[in-house]
């Protein structure tokens, strides 16, 4: 894949950003900085990703999944779950060929139970960006962590990120 002049991104990814609008994609993924700053902060996640399936728990509009596919240079089959139906609608619009691979929490029979959906029952990678409003440690956080851990395939990766509004809080955790 050949990179565009002046950019670290290949033409196909740059076209994706231009087609959907860089600001729309970033805002919809809850990132307030530029695309380059987004890459600088989030590209490290790609270092932990293995080839195969990936579940983004709290996927927002799905932009991070598209980015991880690009940054990791690995074949990834992305799935996403988000609590907000408007986020899932945006993800389905961005990835119409994979629309069934994005669900709201409400579309699952019960939280993190994939037995009744046509999805893998275990994932090679799970990424969870722990939400700003979730207290750690807590019973709720432990429940999510245990549920996600049960979805990790043998030899899979559970990758946890934490982004707090105050940068110093991120560095302390």
């Amino acid at each position: 894949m050949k990179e565009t002049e002046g950019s670290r991104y290949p033409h196909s990814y740059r076209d994706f950003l231009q087609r959907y609008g860089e600001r729309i994609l970033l805002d919809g993924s809850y990132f307030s900085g530029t695309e380059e700053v987004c890459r600088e902060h989030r590209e490290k996640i790609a270092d932990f990703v293995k080839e195969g399936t990936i579940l983004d728990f709290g996927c927002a509009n799905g932009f991070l999944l598209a980015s991880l596919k690009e940054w990791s240079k690995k074949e990834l089959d992305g799935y996403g779950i988000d609590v907000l139906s408007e986020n899932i609608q945006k993800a389905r619009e961005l990835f119409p060929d994979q629309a069934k691979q994005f669900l709201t929490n409400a579309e699952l029979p019960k939280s993190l139970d994939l037995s009744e959906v046509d999805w893998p029952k275990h994932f090679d990678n799970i990424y969870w960006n722990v939400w700003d409003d979730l207290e750690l440690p807590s019973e709720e956080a432990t429940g999510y962590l245990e549920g996600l851990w049960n979805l990790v395939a043998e030899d899979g990766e559970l990758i946890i990120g934490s982004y707090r509004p105050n940068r110093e809080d991120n560095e302390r955790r």
Side-chain angles (χ1 to χ4, degrees), residues 10-26:
H11 286 291
S12 61
Y13 191 70
R14 184 50 78 197
D15 290 346
F16 176 81
L17 291 171
Q18 290 173 350
R19 181 171 62 243
Y20 291 104
E22 184 177 297
R23 188 73 263 148
I24 290 170
L25 292 171
L26 289 168

Side-chain angles (χ1 to χ4, degrees), residues 16 19-20 52-56 59-67 69-70 74-81 87-104 107 118-120 123:
F16 176 81
R19 181 171 62 243
Y20 291 104
T53 55
I54 181 168
L55 171 63
D56 184 353
C59 68
N61 67 356
F63 180 56
L64 180 62
L65 282 173
S67 298
K69 286 181 180 187
E70 177 56 40
K74 295 175 182 153
E75 204 58 44
L76 296 175
D77 188 16
Y79 293 79
I81 297 174
N87 285 343
I88 293 301
Q89 184 57 40
K90 289 175 188 173
R92 289 173 176 162
E93 289 169 11
L94 287 174
F95 306 99
D97 294 342
Q98 299 166 318
K100 292 182 179 182
Q101 293 178 206
F102 293 93
L103 296 173
T104 65
E107 292 173 300
D118 189 22
W119 277 21
F123 293 87

Side-chain angles (χ1 to χ4, degrees), residues 91-146:
R92 289 173 176 162
E93 289 169 11
L94 287 174
F95 306 99
D97 294 342
Q98 299 166 318
K100 292 182 179 182
Q101 293 178 206
F102 293 93
L103 296 173
T104 65
N105 292 22
E107 292 173 300
L108 296 173
K110 58 183 183 177
S111 185
L112 298 176
D113 179 0
L114 303 180
S115 63
E116 295 182 31
V117 294
D118 189 22
W119 277 21
K121 302 312 173 212
H122 295 93
F123 293 87
D124 300 303
N125 307 278
I126 296 178
Y127 177 71
W128 178 28
N129 174 25
V130 179
W131 310 301
D132 292 3
D133 61 349
L134 187 64
E135 288 299 318
L136 298 174
S138 70
E139 190 175 318
E140 182 182 19
T142 300
Y144 283 123
L145 187 56
E146 288 174 354

